[in-house]
Amino acid sequence: MSRSKLQPTSARRTPLRLSPMLAACALLIAAVPADGAAQGSLGALGFGYPVNGMSTRSAGTAGAFGDIDPLSPINPASIGGTRSTVLSAQAEPEHRTLTFGNVREKTSSQRIPLLSMIFPARGGVAVGVSARGFLDRSYTTTTTGSAIIDGNTLPTSERLSMRGAIGDIRTAIGWQIGNRARVGLGGHIFTGENTAVRERTFADTLQFGSTLDSSRVTYFGTALSLGGEVRLFKGLSAAGSYRSGNSFEARIRDTTRASGSVPARLGGVLRYDGIPGSTFAAGFEQVKWSDMQGMASSRTTASDAFNYYGGAEVAGPRMRGVPVLIRAGYARNELPFSTSASRITETRLSGGVGLPIARESASIDFSIQRANRALAGSTTKESAWLLGVGIQIRP
């Protein structure tokens, strides 16, 4: 930690105003501890962790069903042909363990990654409205250092807390064309905020009070998405979607401090359902996170991500006359943000079940995911458990 000269103060908390540019930097970088205990997350670097915002069903397949699942607001074509109204909500807490040298810290994040509604219309047309998580940035880091006051070196402790997220609100329309094809179009609004609180305390609390800086950054952007799905032959289908991003702004007190673009995304998946009661899927996703580099500080690197995944859903024993669905999947992801040119990679193993509550009128899904993250060229590692629960109601 760099040293700075300070003047003695009385023993009281002294709030300081953080300059807008310093606040933007504080929100757009992740603090890496030089010494002392630290509490943070590899996934929360930069603008935060890329929350999939998929349904619990898709989470149980590690994201492999994202482009074909109507409850996951990824491919607008997937809602085409929906025959009944569907209301859905998901919760997905994450429990992380970060290992940094000899330091081992545990943190938790509580998330509601998805709320969605689908309304059928005539002629195979359906309309969907959803709100999903896009980037989540909630963590705390604590660093120790010193400051020179009147020629004396005093121990200090600095705590940086980040709280906030960016969400994706989408309205989409999907159309099923006969029995072989679907198409869809979606409009997106990306909005959210991050709040940074930085507190410095001195070992000698009788002579020196603590300092407290805080700032809030809001985000706003828009995008359009389109998608399609076609049945190639019996049992095999292909689906794909593309998101085109428009401007993305970071604002402080309604003043734009930095701007970029909502990241463009391209995804595709092959689905095989030729075995009754079973669905298998394998796909890829490319997200152009570098579109957000213009919003980042000089210490944050935004890199494009290539993600691959595969998963399956099979019918298990029956409950109340409806089969229980058993799911499993594997994914290899690249996280978008880092404080160097080194990439953070993530592997996921997932599983889940779908249970009927009231036959076809309501169901509940459970998922569990094990994620392992590593920073290339570093001993810093992170492991996480993500526990998902989702409920679907078809009134």
Tab-separated table of all heavy atoms in Angstrom, residues 23-50:
chain	number	residue	atom	x	y	z
A	23	ALA	N	-14.015	7.650	-7.644
A	23	ALA	CA	-15.107	6.713	-7.382
A	23	ALA	C	-15.293	5.749	-8.541
A	23	ALA	O	-15.515	4.557	-8.345
A	23	ALA	CB	-16.403	7.498	-7.139
A	24	ALA	N	-15.210	6.277	-9.761
A	24	ALA	CA	-15.356	5.397	-10.917
A	24	ALA	C	-14.267	4.341	-10.948
A	24	ALA	O	-14.516	3.175	-11.221
A	24	ALA	CB	-15.322	6.222	-12.210
A	25	CYS	N	-13.036	4.777	-10.634
A	25	CYS	CA	-11.937	3.808	-10.610
A	25	CYS	C	-12.157	2.770	-9.525
A	25	CYS	O	-11.892	1.588	-9.716
A	25	CYS	CB	-10.602	4.517	-10.386
A	25	CYS	SG	-10.079	5.541	-11.784
A	26	ALA	N	-12.651	3.235	-8.381
A	26	ALA	CA	-12.867	2.297	-7.274
A	26	ALA	C	-13.910	1.260	-7.635
A	26	ALA	O	-13.838	0.118	-7.198
A	26	ALA	CB	-13.295	3.050	-6.020
A	27	LEU	N	-14.879	1.666	-8.443
A	27	LEU	CA	-15.937	0.733	-8.794
A	27	LEU	C	-15.564	-0.169	-9.957
A	27	LEU	O	-16.142	-1.227	-10.133
A	27	LEU	CB	-17.208	1.510	-9.159
A	27	LEU	CG	-17.912	2.137	-7.967
A	27	LEU	CD1	-18.957	3.113	-8.449
A	27	LEU	CD2	-18.531	1.071	-7.107
A	28	LEU	N	-14.611	0.231	-10.764
A	28	LEU	CA	-14.315	-0.524	-11.970
A	28	LEU	C	-13.068	-1.374	-11.857
A	28	LEU	O	-12.647	-1.976	-12.834
A	28	LEU	CB	-14.176	0.440	-13.174
A	28	LEU	CG	-15.381	1.330	-13.429
A	28	LEU	CD1	-15.153	2.180	-14.665
A	28	LEU	CD2	-16.623	0.500	-13.589
A	29	ILE	N	-12.448	-1.446	-10.674
A	29	ILE	CA	-11.305	-2.315	-10.467
A	29	ILE	C	-11.555	-3.176	-9.259
A	29	ILE	O	-12.447	-2.917	-8.477
A	29	ILE	CB	-9.985	-1.523	-10.284
A	29	ILE	CG1	-10.037	-0.716	-8.979
A	29	ILE	CG2	-9.720	-0.619	-11.463
A	29	ILE	CD1	-8.734	-0.015	-8.649
A	30	ALA	N	-10.788	-4.197	-9.108
A	30	ALA	CA	-10.875	-5.060	-7.928
A	30	ALA	C	-9.588	-4.935	-7.153
A	30	ALA	O	-8.511	-5.002	-7.716
A	30	ALA	CB	-11.105	-6.510	-8.343
A	31	ALA	N	-9.690	-4.734	-5.859
A	31	ALA	CA	-8.505	-4.599	-5.035
A	31	ALA	C	-7.883	-5.957	-4.789
A	31	ALA	O	-8.550	-6.892	-4.408
A	31	ALA	CB	-8.875	-3.954	-3.702
A	32	VAL	N	-6.581	-6.077	-5.010
A	32	VAL	CA	-5.841	-7.291	-4.741
A	32	VAL	C	-4.925	-7.027	-3.569
A	32	VAL	O	-4.095	-6.118	-3.614
A	32	VAL	CB	-5.007	-7.722	-5.963
A	32	VAL	CG1	-4.225	-8.976	-5.633
A	32	VAL	CG2	-5.918	-7.968	-7.156
A	33	PRO	N	-5.048	-7.775	-2.463
A	33	PRO	CA	-4.291	-7.473	-1.268
A	33	PRO	C	-2.801	-7.723	-1.444
A	33	PRO	O	-2.382	-8.724	-1.992
A	33	PRO	CB	-4.877	-8.428	-0.231
A	33	PRO	CG	-5.436	-9.551	-1.034
A	33	PRO	CD	-5.891	-8.942	-2.324
A	34	ALA	N	-1.997	-6.782	-0.959
A	34	ALA	CA	-0.552	-6.954	-0.988
A	34	ALA	C	-0.081	-7.708	0.236
A	34	ALA	O	0.881	-8.455	0.191
A	34	ALA	CB	0.133	-5.590	-1.069
A	35	ASP	N	-0.716	-7.498	1.385
A	35	ASP	CA	-0.415	-8.250	2.573
A	35	ASP	C	-1.626	-8.221	3.486
A	35	ASP	O	-2.573	-7.507	3.255
A	35	ASP	CB	0.811	-7.668	3.303
A	35	ASP	CG	0.646	-6.180	3.570
A	35	ASP	OD1	-0.269	-5.826	4.327
A	35	ASP	OD2	1.417	-5.383	3.017
A	36	GLY	N	-1.607	-9.055	4.516
A	36	GLY	CA	-2.735	-9.088	5.442
A	36	GLY	C	-3.847	-9.937	4.905
A	36	GLY	O	-3.796	-10.516	3.826
A	37	ALA	N	-4.911	-10.033	5.672
A	37	ALA	CA	-6.048	-10.854	5.291
A	37	ALA	C	-6.840	-10.175	4.184
A	37	ALA	O	-6.926	-8.966	4.107
A	37	ALA	CB	-6.938	-11.118	6.496
A	38	ALA	N	-7.444	-10.985	3.336
A	38	ALA	CA	-8.256	-10.439	2.251
A	38	ALA	C	-9.519	-11.254	2.120
A	38	ALA	O	-9.522	-12.450	2.375
A	38	ALA	CB	-7.484	-10.485	0.931
A	39	GLN	N	-10.579	-10.585	1.744
A	39	GLN	CA	-11.827	-11.279	1.500
A	39	GLN	C	-12.386	-10.738	0.207
A	39	GLN	O	-12.696	-9.572	0.093
A	39	GLN	CB	-12.810	-11.065	2.646
A	39	GLN	CG	-14.037	-11.927	2.544
A	39	GLN	CD	-14.912	-11.781	3.756
A	39	GLN	OE1	-14.634	-10.990	4.630
A	39	GLN	NE2	-15.972	-12.545	3.794
A	40	GLY	N	-12.469	-11.587	-0.806
A	40	GLY	CA	-12.948	-11.137	-2.093
A	40	GLY	C	-13.313	-12.320	-2.954
A	40	GLY	O	-13.654	-13.385	-2.468
A	41	SER	N	-13.233	-12.134	-4.274
A	41	SER	CA	-13.635	-13.197	-5.179
A	41	SER	C	-12.963	-12.995	-6.521
A	41	SER	O	-12.895	-11.872	-7.034
A	41	SER	CB	-15.146	-13.190	-5.341
A	41	SER	OG	-15.553	-14.010	-6.407
A	42	LEU	N	-12.471	-14.081	-7.122
A	42	LEU	CA	-11.952	-13.999	-8.483
A	42	LEU	C	-13.068	-13.637	-9.445
A	42	LEU	O	-12.875	-12.872	-10.383
A	42	LEU	CB	-11.338	-15.344	-8.893
A	42	LEU	CG	-9.951	-15.689	-8.379
A	42	LEU	CD1	-9.532	-17.066	-8.893
A	42	LEU	CD2	-8.929	-14.643	-8.796
A	43	GLY	N	-14.254	-14.186	-9.200
A	43	GLY	CA	-15.357	-13.926	-10.100
A	43	GLY	C	-15.874	-12.513	-10.059
A	43	GLY	O	-16.540	-12.070	-10.978
A	44	ALA	N	-15.583	-11.763	-8.979
A	44	ALA	CA	-16.122	-10.415	-8.827
A	44	ALA	C	-15.173	-9.338	-9.310
A	44	ALA	O	-15.399	-8.163	-9.062
A	44	ALA	CB	-16.490	-10.157	-7.372
A	45	LEU	N	-14.104	-9.707	-9.988
A	45	LEU	CA	-13.183	-8.694	-10.514
A	45	LEU	C	-13.880	-7.855	-11.583
A	45	LEU	O	-14.875	-8.250	-12.172
A	45	LEU	CB	-11.947	-9.366	-11.109
A	45	LEU	CG	-11.041	-10.133	-10.138
A	45	LEU	CD1	-9.876	-10.761	-10.889
A	45	LEU	CD2	-10.526	-9.229	-9.032
A	46	GLY	N	-13.304	-6.671	-11.837
A	46	GLY	CA	-13.844	-5.799	-12.868
A	46	GLY	C	-15.273	-5.391	-12.580
A	46	GLY	O	-15.596	-4.878	-11.515
A	47	PHE	N	-16.174	-5.631	-13.535
A	47	PHE	CA	-17.575	-5.271	-13.355
A	47	PHE	C	-18.368	-6.363	-12.641
A	47	PHE	O	-19.549	-6.190	-12.398
A	47	PHE	CB	-18.217	-4.995	-14.716
A	47	PHE	CG	-17.704	-3.747	-15.380
A	47	PHE	CD1	-16.625	-3.810	-16.247
A	47	PHE	CD2	-18.273	-2.515	-15.126
A	47	PHE	CE1	-16.133	-2.673	-16.863
A	47	PHE	CE2	-17.794	-1.373	-15.733
A	47	PHE	CZ	-16.720	-1.442	-16.609
A	48	GLY	N	-17.741	-7.482	-12.332
A	48	GLY	CA	-18.423	-8.504	-11.566
A	48	GLY	C	-18.520	-9.835	-12.269
A	48	GLY	O	-18.014	-10.047	-13.371
A	49	TYR	N	-19.198	-10.751	-11.607
A	49	TYR	CA	-19.350	-12.112	-12.100
A	49	TYR	C	-20.476	-12.185	-13.125
A	49	TYR	O	-21.569	-11.659	-12.890
A	49	TYR	CB	-19.649	-13.062	-10.936
A	49	TYR	CG	-19.760	-14.504	-11.347
A	49	TYR	CD1	-18.631	-15.226	-11.705
A	49	TYR	CD2	-21.002	-15.127	-11.396
A	49	TYR	CE1	-18.737	-16.551	-12.090
A	49	TYR	CE2	-21.118	-16.454	-11.775
A	49	TYR	CZ	-19.975	-17.156	-12.132
A	49	TYR	OH	-20.074	-18.464	-12.524
A	50	PRO	N	-20.246	-12.825	-14.277
A	50	PRO	CA	-21.297	-12.921	-15.296
A	50	PRO	C	-22.358	-13.940	-14.908
A	50	PRO	O	-22.246	-15.137	-15.185
A	50	PRO	CB	-20.532	-13.353	-16.550
A	50	PRO	CG	-19.333	-14.085	-16.028
A	50	PRO	CD	-18.968	-13.410	-14.737
